[in-house]
Amino acid sequence: MRRMLRRLLPEATPVSPKERLRAALGALVGILVTGLLGSLALKADATLPALVAPMGASAVLLFAVPSSPLAQPWSILGGNIVAALVGVTAALLIPDPFLASAVAIAVAIAAMMTLRCLHPPSGAIALTAVLGGPAIHELGYGFVIWPVAGNSLALLLLALAFNNLTGRRYPHAAKPAADHGTTDPASIQRIGFTSADLDDVLKEYDEFLDIDRDDLETILRRTELRSYRRRAGHLDCASIMSRDVVAVAPDNTLKEAHDLMRAHHFKALPVTNDRAEVVGIVTQTDFLDKANWTRGRPKIGFAQRVRLVLSGASAPNDTVKDIMTAPVRTVGPATPIADAIVIFAEEGLHYLPVTRENNKLVGILSQSDVLVAMLADKAAA
């Protein structure tokens, strides 16, 4: 009996209590404010509905699963408007309500899939246009403008504000991989399956998946990397990191930092404060992107100077703090090398400062260090 009941429950991804609360609070705010706005807009015409029921289903998607392709802005706006148009047309042309309902749903689904705006609550919009009763029928195509388009736009704007204010990226987009401006794929894409492999499998699968294609690829690649990590050796960062680290202070001049990089043939320098705590990292890329050379000395570039001023940073004075990358990704001495490999691959980094729990610098790890360690470990096996 227990096994049969377990089969009836979906295998849902674990969600934290914080995420559940955020989804519930978002839906509360979204529906409440959308309804209030509708009431205010319709004070002069009490015959129009301020809020239609399918918005509740849209709220579930926009606030509980905002990363879903079904919850993106074009999905809710395009899907609801297309479904409303189809539903009103079916109600006008087909006298039988059940046949009109069936035709409305079928045509709406086909149209939404063709226009890439599939949104499940839109099916209820199409049914509402057919079965909503005399008040809805009297609106005719005005039903598309209000309440459908009006409610959809209000709920979408609230979802945009709420999700971004609470730390979610919405509209959802996969995190872009590091672009080196060449035809070579990113390092994480050079292991295991290729993007073309995934596209071929999705074509063979030939079913709609409620997950963004790029998100699916990211999940699969991370799974693959963690599989490699599980099978990797036992080495940790402390066993291979460079310990005699050359660092600079935020107030060192750009010339001092550049001279240190040239003297030691480094491509990056950790930036530490007077307590040896890591506050950033300065790399060759930082010099290339954010500084210009004037009379043999590096100076802050105009574009970078404007960015600093607009961000409210302290006045630029051609020091390391003006171009350093901060905050900086770090690892601990006990971090397994396999974990560092995942970070290097996923985030496109070349150097990782190694810090203790108090964020004090104890070493630095490079991709070259990891490569040599992997080769040595393989030879010893």
Side-chain angles (χ1 to χ4, degrees):
M1 182 68 176
R2 183 179 298 176
R3 182 178 298 177
M4 184 177 68
L5 290 175
R6 188 176 298 171
R7 289 178 180 176
L8 298 177
L9 294 175
E11 292 292 334
T13 304
V15 177
S16 68
K18 177 182 176 181
E19 185 63 22
R20 295 173 195 167
L21 179 62
R22 178 162 57 179
L25 182 60
L28 173 75
V29 172
I31 293 298
L32 177 62
V33 175
T34 299
L36 290 174
L37 290 174
S39 297
L40 290 173
L42 298 177
K43 276 189 174 180
D45 190 349
T47 62
L48 293 175
L51 186 68
V52 286
M55 291 300 117
S58 291
V60 173
L61 286 171
L62 267 63
F63 296 101
V65 283
S67 62
S68 168
L70 306 176
Q72 300 314 296
W74 172 236
S75 297
I76 179 173
L77 281 180
N80 284 350
I81 290 173
V82 166
L85 286 168
V86 171
V88 171
T89 302
L92 291 173
L93 298 179
I94 304 174
D96 184 87
F98 298 116
L99 179 58
S101 297
V103 169
I105 289 292
V107 175
I109 289 175
M112 287 189 289
M113 293 186 76
T114 300
L115 296 173
R116 299 175 62 182
C117 58
L118 190 64
H119 187 64
S122 300
I125 292 286
L127 278 182
T128 301
V130 176
L131 304 176
I136 296 297
H137 293 161
E138 287 177 7
L139 293 175
Y141 285 103
F143 174 71
V144 179
I145 306 300
W146 189 274
V148 174
N151 281 179
S152 300
L153 182 59
L155 192 62
L156 172 59
L157 293 176
L158 290 165
L160 284 166
F162 182 87
N163 284 321
N164 285 286
L165 287 173
T166 57
R168 287 170 168 163
R169 287 181 295 121
Y170 185 80
H172 179 73
K175 184 179 178 180
D179 183 9
H180 299 290
T182 69
T183 56
D184 287 327
S187 56
I188 194 174
Q189 296 177 332
R190 300 177 203 171
I191 58 174
F193 69 92
T194 66
S195 296
D197 292 333
L198 178 58
D199 290 336
D200 289 340
V201 171
L202 290 175
K203 287 178 182 177
E204 293 173 2
Y205 192 73
D206 196 26
E207 288 186 29
F208 183 85
L209 295 178
D210 188 12
I211 182 172
D212 183 83
R213 183 247 178 245
D214 291 335
D215 283 349
L216 177 61
E217 180 171 356
T218 298
I219 291 170
L220 292 175
R221 292 198 184 282
R222 289 185 178 181
T223 302
E224 196 167 39
L225 280 172
R226 293 189 182 279
S227 173
Y228 293 150
R229 180 181 65 181
R230 177 173 47 81
R231 292 173 283 163
H234 58 280
L235 295 174
D236 57 24
C237 292
S239 62
I240 64 168
M241 69 183 184
S242 299
R243 299 172 182 272
D244 185 14
V245 184
V246 177
V248 290
D251 292 326
N252 280 138
T253 66
L254 295 180
K255 187 176 187 309
E256 289 170 341
H258 190 263
D259 288 345
L260 275 175
M261 293 175 72
R262 290 189 61 185
H264 294 279
H265 303 287
F266 291 152
K267 294 181 174 62
L269 292 172
V271 184
T272 58
N273 59 22
D274 54 6
R275 295 184 298 276
E277 298 168 338
V278 175
V279 295
I281 190 169
V282 60
T283 67
Q284 284 185 337
T285 302
D286 291 323
F287 273 98
L288 291 171
D289 290 347
K290 304 170 186 176
N292 294 329
W293 286 87
T294 304
R295 297 178 183 176
R297 298 176 67 90
K299 300 284 186 180
I300 300 299
F302 177 75
Q304 176 65 5
R305 191 176 296 275
V306 171
R307 282 194 291 266
L308 290 170
V309 171
L310 292 177
S311 67
S314 57
N317 57 355
D318 298 321
T319 56
V320 169
K321 72 175 183 297
D322 295 330
I323 68 168
M324 70 181 185
T325 298
V328 61
R329 190 72 154 87
T330 63
V331 291
T335 301
I337 290 178
D339 285 3
I341 293 173
V342 172
I343 295 171
F344 280 134
E346 288 188 348
E347 302 187 23
L349 303 176
H350 298 280
Y351 292 88
L352 285 170
V354 184
T355 61
R356 298 196 185 281
E357 293 180 357
N358 54 11
N359 203 37
K360 292 188 182 295
L361 182 68
V362 294
I364 192 166
L365 190 68
S366 70
Q367 286 186 345
S368 298
D369 296 330
V370 172
L371 177 60
V372 170
M374 290 175 62
L375 292 173
D377 194 51
K378 188 71 175 177

